[in-house]
Amino acid sequence: MKYLYLILAALLMLCLAPMPYGYYQLVRFIALVLFAVFAYNTWRQEQRSLAVVLWALALLFQPFVKVALGRAVWNIVDVIVALGLIALWWFGQKKAGSD
């Protein structure tokens, strides 16, 4: 499950490259599902603040009602969110190692 953070981060980073429009739609749908799963799991682990952020990201990336930010802003969002996902994976690995 923890590797899904890295997979989603890689998918978001690929959005920086010129890809067919269908790829971006697919990534938005995958992001919606994964962010919702991540949010649910963190909520159950009593990490309420992180869960709220993940729910907000699920809503931001959802493909049904587009959020028109422009290509440049979306690229910045993709990079920031990808780095955040990598950080979540990293700290999850450290926490698992210390248990």
Side-chain angles (χ1 to χ4, degrees):
M1 176 78 168
K2 292 186 189 236
Y3 288 107
L4 291 177
Y5 288 98
L6 295 179
I7 292 169
L8 183 54
L11 291 174
L12 290 172
M13 293 303 284
L14 276 173
C15 287
L16 300 176
M19 303 293 274
Y21 183 72
Y23 175 79
Y24 301 111
Q25 288 297 100
L26 178 64
V27 169
R28 289 169 64 104
F29 183 76
I30 292 170
L32 166 67
V33 171
L34 289 180
F35 281 130
V37 169
F38 298 157
Y40 176 75
N41 287 338
T42 56
W43 187 268
R44 292 196 58 200
Q45 295 170 357
E46 304 291 327
Q47 297 175 340
R48 305 290 192 222
S49 298
L50 179 57
V52 169
V53 170
L54 292 169
W55 279 117
L57 287 171
L59 291 174
L60 176 65
F61 280 93
Q62 57 79 28
F64 306 112
V65 178
K66 286 188 173 186
V67 178
L69 297 178
R71 174 111 171 131
V73 175
W74 269 114
N75 285 346
I76 293 167
V77 169
D78 289 339
V79 170
I80 291 170
V81 172
L83 292 174
L85 289 168
I86 292 167
L88 285 174
W89 174 81
W90 177 262
F91 290 118
Q93 293 294 89
K94 289 186 132 196
K95 183 179 176 186
S98 66
D99 289 340

